[in-house]
Amino acid sequence: MASFDSIVIGEDWISEHYFTTDSVKESFQGKVLELRKFWEAEAKENRTTVRQDFLAACRDLQTQLAALSENPDGAAAAHALARHALGFPGDLTTFHGERAGAELDVPASALPGVDGVLFLQAHPVDSVDELLDPDTGRLIEPATEENKQIAAASKVVSAAFRTDQPPAFVVVQAGQWLLLAEAERWAEGRYLAVDLLVVTERRHDARGGEIDRVAAMFGRQALIPDADGNIWWTGVLEDSVKHTVGVSKDLREGIRLSIEIIANEVVRRRAARGLTLDGIDGQELAKHSLRFLYRILFLLYAEASPEMQVLPAGAPEYGEGYGLDRLRELTLTELVSPQAKNGTHLYESLATLFRLVDRGHTPHAPENVADDPAPGLEFNRLRADLFSPEATALINDVGLGNEATQKVLEHLVLSKESKGRKGADRGFISYAELGINQLGAVYEGLMSYTGFFAEEDLYEVAKNGDPEKGSWVVPADRADHLSESDFVKAVDEATGELKPVIHPKGTFVFRLAGRERQQSASYYTPEVLTRFVVSQALAELLDQNGTRTTPDEILQLTICEPALGSGAFAIEAVRQLAAEYLKRKQEDLGTLIDADQYPIELQKVKAHLALHQVYGVDLNATAVELAEISLWLDTMVAGLQAPWFGLHLRRGNSLIGARRAVYSTTQLTKKAWLTTSPKDVPLGEEIGAGIHHFLLPSQGWGAVVDTAEAKTYAPDKREELRLWRNGIRSNPSPAIKKRLAALAQRVETLWGFTVRRLTIAESEARRNIHIFGTDEPEHTPAITREQIEQVLHDENGAYRRLRRAMDAWCALWSWPVTTDIEPPDWDQWVGGLEAILGVPPKAGKFEKYGQTSLAGDLNWRELDVAEDTDRTFSQSLPIGKTLDGFPWLTVTNSIANTQGFLHWELDFAPVFARGGFDLQVGNPPWVRPDWDESGVLAEFDPWWQLTDKPAEALKRRKREETLAQPGALDAYLDERARQTGVIENLGSGVDRPVLTGLRTQGSVVVESQICDQRFHALRTRSTA
C-alpha cells in the first residue's frame, strides 16, 4: 500500500483505503500519478513545475529545517523557503476577517493574490501532537479577536474558518511540520500533516512516491483554483467521499451476509447443544443479529469521534485490547485449528466491550486489578437499549464461534475484495468518512428483508438470477418448472464454480422479497435532497409575516418525519435548526462562541432538538430502531447517556388511524354519517354532544365483500359478510344511540387521562443539556423510564384501552373471509366498546369521582389512583375478559398488530394539545397499494413473477395449482382483505374528502391526510 511515515492522516482526513491503495483507479495514488504526468509534460515544454522546484530546494530546506532545533528564530526563513518551493513566493501580510461583527486579525498569514488559503506561522515543534496542543502549538505572532490575543495555532485555525468569508484552506507552518486544514473536516478534528524534514532527508522521488505526494498535497495547484475555477483538493476530497459511498454499497451486502452468518451460527451452536428452534421466530433472530451489528458499527463510529468520550480511545490499554486497530488485526489473523475456529474468544471480547459501554466502568484499585475486566480504563455508562442483554438474547444464549465472528468483522471493517484479485487490495473502511447518511443508506436497503428457517431444502430464484430487486425461494423438489437462468447463483468456495444457491433444511434464510420491498417502499433519499428540502421548508417556517423567529422559539419547534426510514430528514432538520439557533443566539447576546468550542455547543443543541423536539413514524419496526441509532450517532454529546426516543419515534402506519372528529346526533338518522365527513375537533376543545367517528360503523367496513376473489373462492363466507355489512350500516336504535353518547363521554375521559399521562412522561423523560445562551434549571426526574414504559404498555390503562377501540374501528375495514368468528353486529359492537372503555358512572355513585376524573391537574401517582377508580366505577372489564366475551376483538387485535394503525392525536397527544407539529418533512413513498395477485401467488410459486406475459389459460391452471398448496388460499384471501381494506380506507371520500376524485397514492395521502386534514386545522406552518 502507498503509505509513508512522514504523512499523517489525522482522524481520517481522507478515506484511508482511498489514500493508501496501490490501485490507480478511484484512488489518491491515481490523482497523484495524473499530476506527475502533467508535470512531465510541462517540463518537456521547458515550463517549471512544483515538483521540480521542490526537488531543487530539498537540500537547502533540509539544512534550514534541521538547524531549527538549535536556532528556532530561523523559522520564518525556513517557512518562506518551503512556501517558495511549493509555488507560493512572496511576503505574508495580515489577514482581516469578521465574525458576527467581531474583527479577527492574523499577522503574517495572507499572500497577496492568493485568495482562499492562509499560511499561519507557528513556532517549530517536534510532532504534530505538539502543534495541535494549544499549550505548545503557538503562533510566532498572536492573532487578535475583539482586542484579545489568540496565540494557540489550533484556535486561530478554528477562528479563521468561523469568519463570515472564511478561507477554503489553512496551512500551518511549524518548523519541520506542515499541517493542512479544511473547514468542514477541521470541525470534525480531521487534518493532514507532513514532516518536511523527513521528506527532504529521504527524497523519495519515484513515480507516485513521497516527493510526488507532498508536492501534490501542498503545491500551488492543489490549493489554488485552476482556469476553470476548480480546486484540486476539493475534487480529490469529493472523489474520496464517492469512493466511500461505493464502499457503503459493498458494506450493505457485507451486513446482509453477516446477518446470515450470525443467525446460522446460532442455529449451528444450538444444534450442537441439542437445542431445537422451537419457539424461535426467524425474523426475531434476524433482528437480534442486526442489533449485534448495530453495536459494532456504533462503536466504530464512536471511536471515529473521540471527542464524544463514549470510548477511552486515547488510552493505550484500549487500543491494545479493544480498539479499531485491534479489530483490524483480528480480521487478518488466520484461524487454523478447529479449536481456534470454534472457540468464542472474539465474541467474548466483544461482549465484554458491550457490557463496559452499557454499564460503565471505573478502574479497580491496584490491589484488585486481577479482577478488573478493563484495567486502567474508564467507560462512561450509556444505559442503551441497543446494548441491553435482551436486545441480543438469542445470540447471548449460545455465543458465536471465532470463525463466524471473524467473518462478520471482515465484512464490517474491510472493503470488498477486487474481482480477479482474491485477497488483494482490501482496505479498511473509514467510518469518519462514511457519514450517518451513508450508514442510513446501507441499512435502509435491508429493511425489506425477511428472516426465516428453511423447513426443507430451498433454491433461491430471481428474475434473470439477479436478487438485487427481490428473490423467492422454492422447494428443491418443486423447482423443475423454473428456467435455469432464474436461479440465483454464487461462487462455490471449494471449486470456484458458479452454482445455484440452495438453503438446506433447518438453516436460516435472509432474503429480500420483491413484494416486501415494493410494499415498504424503503428507498433511500440522498443527502443532497434532504438538505435542499429541509432548507426550503425552514425558509417557509422561520421569520414569517415580518416577524423574526427568536432562537428560543427555534428550540421549541416540533419536527415530524412521517415516513422515517433511517431518519434522514429529521437528522437534517436538527442540523440546520441547531446551526440557526447558535447563529441567532450569538447575535442576540452580542457574544461569540470560541471557535474551538463551537462544534461542542452545536452538538449540544442538536442533542436537545433530537431528544425533545423530533417525532417520527414508520410502519417498519426495524426502521424505527435504525432512526433511533442514526439520531443518536449524529447528536452524541460527551457525558450524555444513551437517549430514549420511545415517546417520540413510533412504529405505525402514518396513513391509517382514527382521529379526533365527531358526528352530531342528528347525523345518526337516515345513515347520514356513512356519507358525511365528521367535524374535526382540536384536542383541548369540547366535543359537546358529538359522537366520535370511530364509535360508528364505516361505509368501508368489510371491503373484501366487493372483490372478485372473495366471490370466487369464499362465496359462502362472503355472503355472510355481505349480510353483516348491510346490518351494521343500518340506523342505530334509540337505545344504541344513548349508549353511543355515553361512550363518547368515556372517550373524552380516557383521552384526558392520556394527555395528562403522556405530558408528564415527556417532561420526566427530558435530559439536562446545558445549551449556549440558556439557563435551563436542572431537572431530576421523579418518574423512571421503566414506570413510563409500564404505563404505556398496560393494556388496562386509559391509553391502551382507548387505542384498542380505535384499532378495532380501523381493523374492521380489513375483516377477512377466512375466520369462523363472526364480526360484531350493533349490539356486539357497542357492547365490546363498553367492555373496553366502560360506561359513565351514575351521578352520586362515588362522591369524589368527579374530582379524580379531572386529569389535567393530577400528578403521576394521583393519575394511578384516578385511573384505578375510573376502571372500577366505569365497569370496564379487564382486557382478558373482554376478549373472552367478545371474540371479534381478537380478530381486530390481530389485524391491528399487523397493520400498525397510528392515531396521531392520541399517540402524540401532548403535541396536539399544544396545537400540532411545526414542521412536517420527509419523502413519503410513491407507491399505490394496488392488488398484486402475481406478487402474492409468487410467495408460493415464483413462476408468477419470473414468467413474462403467460397466456390466460396457463395462468388459470397455475392459479389452481398454486392455491391448492397448503395455506395458500387462506393467505391469498387474507392479503386481499388487507389490501382492499387499506385502499378503501385511503380512498374514502368521507374520511379524506380532500382526496375525492384522486387515485390513491402514498405520498398524496401523506400530504393530504396528515397535513391538510389534521395539521392545517391545528398549527402546522411548514410542510415539505
Side-chain angles (χ1 to χ4, degrees):
M1 289 187 177
S3 180
F4 298 94
D5 58 2
S6 62
I7 300 172
V8 178
I9 306 296
E11 301 298 338
D12 282 332
W13 154 275
I14 193 170
S15 164
E16 182 177 358
H17 182 224
Y18 179 83
F19 188 79
T20 60
T21 179
D22 292 322
S23 172
V24 297
K25 294 182 179 180
E26 295 183 356
S27 68
F28 187 80
Q29 180 75 347
K31 294 294 184 182
V32 172
L33 290 176
E34 286 177 8
L35 274 179
R36 174 67 181 256
K37 186 177 180 180
F38 169 76
W39 289 328
E40 289 174 344
E42 290 288 284
K44 286 182 180 179
E45 299 294 328
N46 295 319
R47 287 191 285 266
T48 60
T49 67
V50 167
R51 184 178 186 278
Q52 285 178 331
D53 290 346
F54 186 64
L55 265 175
C58 271
R59 190 176 301 280
D60 291 342
L61 191 54
Q62 177 197 352
T63 301
Q64 291 194 29
L65 292 175
L68 292 179
S69 60
E70 300 293 334
N71 180 28
D73 291 339
H79 291 172
L81 178 59
R83 289 196 306 277
H84 190 279
L86 292 169
F88 296 101
D91 296 328
L92 296 173
T93 62
T94 298
F95 167 78
H96 298 281
E98 288 191 8
R99 178 161 68 102
E103 293 188 354
L104 172 70
D105 291 332
V106 186
S109 60
L111 271 175
V114 178
D115 297 325
V117 185
L118 291 187
F119 295 88
L120 303 190
Q121 305 302 293
H123 291 289
V125 293
D126 294 328
S127 69
V128 71
D129 289 338
E130 286 186 32
L131 177 55
L132 294 171
D133 189 330
D135 294 328
T136 54
R138 314 286 284 184
L139 294 189
I140 295 173
E141 188 176 351
T144 58
E145 185 177 41
E146 288 190 302
N147 298 319
K148 295 179 181 178
Q149 287 195 345
I150 311 175
S154 60
K155 290 182 178 293
V156 177
V157 174
S158 298
F161 282 139
R162 293 296 302 160
T163 56
D164 297 336
Q165 294 182 315
F169 299 95
V170 173
V171 177
V172 183
Q173 295 184 273
Q176 69 195 63
W177 282 97
L178 273 181
L179 182 143
L180 178 62
E182 181 268 341
E184 185 175 338
R185 281 167 168 72
W186 180 257
E188 297 168 350
R190 301 155 70 186
Y191 58 88
L192 176 68
V194 63
D195 187 335
L196 282 180
L197 183 58
V198 172
V199 173
T200 54
E201 285 176 344
R202 196 150 47 201
R203 297 177 206 172
H204 181 266
D205 64 348
R207 182 176 294 275
E210 195 171 26
I211 291 291
D212 283 0
R213 288 200 161 213
V214 173
M217 292 187 295
F218 287 91
R220 185 180 184 87
Q221 82 295 317
L223 303 173
I224 302 298
D226 61 17
D228 296 323
N230 300 317
I231 299 176
W232 185 83
W233 256 124
T234 302
V236 170
L237 293 175
E238 288 176 354
D239 284 347
S240 171
V241 172
K242 290 176 184 176
H243 174 79
T244 304
V245 171
V247 169
S248 73
K249 294 178 181 177
D250 298 336
L251 182 59
R252 181 193 302 179
E253 175 64 9
I255 290 172
R256 185 192 70 78
L257 292 172
S258 294
I259 290 172
E260 285 194 338
I261 291 169
I262 293 170
N264 275 311
E265 178 71 357
V266 169
V267 171
R268 185 185 70 82
R269 294 179 72 85
R270 288 184 68 87
R273 297 186 183 188
L275 302 173
T276 69
L277 297 174
D278 293 346
I280 296 179
D281 177 64
Q283 189 64 2
E284 192 66 18
L285 179 55
K287 287 183 180 179
H288 286 217
S289 302
L290 188 57
R291 289 171 187 153
F292 188 85
L293 298 176
Y294 279 156
R295 289 177 177 179
I296 299 173
L297 284 168
F298 174 82
L299 295 179
L300 291 172
Y301 269 95
E303 188 168 329
S305 304
E307 69 278 4
M308 296 303 121
Q309 300 177 22
V310 173
L311 301 169
E317 297 90 345
Y318 175 82
E320 294 168 5
Y322 301 101
L324 179 57
D325 289 338
R326 174 65 175 154
L327 283 182
R328 290 170 171 173
E329 289 175 12
L330 294 175
T331 63
L332 301 174
T333 302
E334 185 178 2
L335 302 174
V336 180
S337 68
Q339 182 178 1
K341 293 179 179 180
N342 294 321
T344 58
H345 171 71
L346 299 184
Y347 166 78
E348 293 297 339
S349 297
L350 287 171
T352 298
L353 180 57
F354 296 158
R355 285 193 296 272
L356 292 170
V357 168
D358 186 43
R359 302 174 187 174
H361 176 263
T362 301
H364 291 187
E367 61 270 17
N368 298 324
V369 73
D371 300 324
D372 194 336
L377 295 178
E378 183 171 354
F379 289 81
N380 294 316
R381 183 172 181 244
L382 279 185
R383 191 175 178 261
D385 287 349
L386 178 62
F387 289 93
S388 71
E390 295 78 15
T392 57
L394 295 175
I395 299 171
N396 303 342
D397 289 343
V398 293
L400 300 174
N402 289 332
E403 185 175 32
T405 308
Q406 187 184 60
K407 288 180 180 178
V408 169
L409 292 175
E410 186 177 310
H411 286 310
L412 294 183
V413 301
L414 286 179
S415 63
K416 192 175 182 180
E417 210 165 47
S418 298
K419 290 183 179 179
R421 300 180 63 193
K422 189 171 179 62
D425 197 37
R426 299 193 71 180
F428 295 112
I429 295 172
S430 167
Y431 281 85
E433 196 76 76
L434 186 67
I436 303 303
N437 296 76
Q438 282 78 40
L439 178 68
V442 168
Y443 276 97
E444 207 160 315
L446 297 175
M447 290 179 194
S448 303
Y449 279 73
T450 302
F452 60 94
F453 301 114
E455 297 181 357
E456 54 189 318
D457 290 353
L458 300 171
Y459 279 117
E460 188 166 350
V461 294
K463 190 72 172 177
N464 299 318
D466 180 9
E468 181 72 21
K469 294 183 179 179
S471 66
W472 295 264
V473 290
V474 59
D477 59 1
R478 297 207 303 270
D480 296 345
H481 65 296
L482 300 177
S483 170
E484 178 67 25
S485 64
D486 289 329
F487 283 80
V488 176
K489 296 180 176 65
V491 176
D492 187 308
E493 292 185 4
T495 65
E497 296 179 284
L498 273 178
K499 292 186 176 181
V501 172
I502 189 167
H503 301 283
K505 179 181 179 180
T507 59
F508 173 85
V509 184
F510 192 59
R511 73 180 184 92
L512 171 62
R515 197 167 143 270
E516 289 291 330
R517 177 175 171 79
Q518 185 185 40
Q519 286 183 335
S520 67
S522 56
Y523 298 93
Y524 182 71
T525 306
E527 186 172 2
V528 64
L529 182 56
T530 60
R531 188 180 298 125
F532 174 77
V533 170
V534 169
S535 67
Q536 295 300 299
L538 293 182
E540 297 296 324
L541 174 62
L542 305 178
D543 303 333
Q544 298 300 299
N545 302 319
T547 303
R548 176 179 181 267
T549 305
T550 69
D552 290 342
E553 287 173 338
I554 288 176
L555 289 184
Q556 300 303 315
L557 295 175
T558 49
I559 306 149
C560 181
E561 185 173 358
L564 262 177
S566 60
F569 283 95
I571 288 171
E572 184 59 37
V574 165
R575 290 173 178 173
Q576 293 190 28
L577 283 171
E580 193 63 30
Y581 167 81
L582 286 182
K583 175 178 177 290
R584 297 181 183 216
K585 200 65 176 180
Q586 289 178 98
E587 292 172 353
D588 287 1
L589 296 177
T591 302
L592 286 179
I593 301 171
D594 184 86
D596 283 349
Q597 184 67 20
Y598 182 85
I600 298 172
E601 297 299 336
L602 180 65
Q603 203 69 5
K604 289 180 181 179
V605 183
K606 285 166 60 180
H608 170 89
L609 291 170
L611 273 168
H612 304 140
Q613 305 302 120
V614 168
Y615 297 77
V617 181
D618 201 287
L619 184 56
N620 189 310
T622 303
V624 177
E625 286 194 35
L626 172 57
E628 290 178 349
I629 293 167
S630 297
L631 273 169
W632 182 16
L633 285 172
D634 200 60
T635 60
M636 283 191 297
V637 173
L640 184 68
Q641 287 189 347
W644 179 52
F645 297 103
L647 291 170
H648 287 198
L649 304 185
R650 300 289 190 96
R651 182 258 171 177
N653 188 335
S654 294
L655 310 182
I656 299 180
R659 69 182 195 272
R660 189 172 170 79
V662 300
Y663 288 103
S664 67
T665 53
T666 59
Q667 291 174 304
L668 300 190
T669 59
K670 298 183 180 180
K671 304 182 182 180
W673 84 92
L674 293 173
T675 55
T676 306
S677 296
K679 176 188 176 183
D680 288 301
V681 181
L683 199 56
E685 291 186 15
E686 298 291 336
I687 65 165
I691 296 175
H692 303 83
H693 80 103
F694 54 84
L695 297 179
L696 295 166
S698 172
Q699 184 83 8
W701 279 8
V704 73
V705 165
D706 299 319
T707 65
E709 290 75 16
K711 295 175 184 177
T712 302
Y713 297 107
D716 294 340
K717 287 286 186 182
R718 181 259 176 191
E719 179 61 16
E720 291 175 10
L721 193 60
R722 187 187 67 83
L723 294 174
W724 163 79
R725 191 172 69 173
N726 289 342
I728 200 68
R729 287 175 175 177
S730 63
N731 290 317
S733 66
I736 293 291
K737 289 180 185 178
K738 186 176 180 180
R739 292 165 71 184
L740 288 170
L743 281 169
Q745 295 179 41
R746 293 297 305 146
V747 167
E748 289 300 283
T749 297
L750 298 185
W751 220 320
F753 281 136
T754 300
V755 171
R756 182 59 180 162
R757 183 74 79 175
L758 293 182
T759 299
I760 295 175
E762 288 215 345
S763 174
E764 293 298 310
R766 291 180 72 85
R767 300 289 184 83
N768 293 315
I769 303 175
H770 297 288
I771 296 174
F772 171 78
T774 65
D775 189 22
E776 189 171 328
E778 289 284 337
H779 170 67
T780 303
I783 308 300
T784 66
R785 170 186 163 179
E786 288 73 19
Q787 288 175 293
I788 295 172
E789 288 182 313
Q790 182 179 359
V791 167
L792 289 181
H793 297 114
D794 180 8
E795 294 297 338
N796 290 303
Y799 168 63
R800 299 298 298 182
R801 283 191 285 148
L802 184 50
R803 204 176 195 289
R804 185 180 292 273
M806 293 177 169
D807 280 348
W809 180 85
C810 296
L812 279 159
W813 293 70
S814 296
W815 188 272
V817 289
T818 55
T819 179
D820 290 328
I821 297 175
E822 294 182 359
D825 58 17
W826 264 114
D827 189 60
Q828 276 277 307
W829 168 247
V830 174
L833 293 181
E834 288 172 338
I836 297 170
L837 306 174
V839 296
K842 294 180 180 179
K845 185 171 183 181
F846 183 56
E847 185 178 347
K848 295 182 180 179
Y849 178 78
Q851 298 173 6
T852 58
S853 66
L854 297 174
D857 298 323
L858 303 181
N859 63 34
W860 190 268
R861 289 173 180 79
E862 289 170 341
L863 274 174
D864 290 340
V865 174
E867 285 199 41
D868 285 342
T869 303
D870 177 77
R871 278 191 294 270
T872 300
F873 288 92
S874 68
Q875 303 175 53
S876 60
L877 298 179
I879 293 303
K881 286 187 177 181
T882 299
L883 296 178
D884 290 340
F886 300 89
W888 63 268
L889 280 168
T890 62
V891 179
T892 58
N893 186 60
S894 176
I895 294 171
N897 287 338
T898 300
Q899 296 197 35
F901 308 121
L902 188 90
H903 317 293
W904 286 90
E905 290 119 312
L906 178 70
D907 292 323
F908 296 123
V911 177
F912 284 91
R914 296 190 298 268
F917 293 102
D918 295 290
L919 174 64
Q920 279 276 353
V921 64
N923 183 18
W926 287 77
V927 177
R928 293 189 179 103
D930 294 333
W931 171 235
D932 178 18
E933 182 186 54
S934 294
V936 176
L937 294 175
E939 293 301 306
F940 295 91
D941 187 346
W943 176 91
W944 284 93
Q945 290 284 47
L946 302 178
T947 305
D948 290 322
K949 299 179 180 178
E952 284 301 317
L954 179 57
K955 285 174 66 174
R956 284 194 295 271
R957 180 170 63 81
K958 291 296 295 183
R959 187 181 291 108
E960 291 178 6
E961 292 176 2
T962 304
L963 293 178
Q965 293 183 36
L969 181 57
D970 278 0
Y972 176 81
L973 291 172
D974 284 346
E975 177 57 22
R976 189 58 168 127
R978 184 204 68 80
Q979 179 271 337
T980 195
V982 167
I983 204 164
E984 283 294 318
N985 193 308
L986 298 181
S988 169
V990 171
D991 289 279
R992 296 174 177 81
V994 292
L995 294 184
T996 302
L998 294 178
R999 186 175 177 188
T1000 302
Q1001 186 156 300
S1003 65
V1004 175
V1005 172
V1006 170
E1007 299 296 336
S1008 299
Q1009 174 200 350
I1010 297 177
C1011 302
D1012 291 350
Q1013 284 193 319
R1014 299 185 180 179
F1015 292 45
H1016 178 71
L1018 298 168
R1019 197 187 61 184
T1020 297
R1021 286 173 282 170
S1022 179
T1023 301

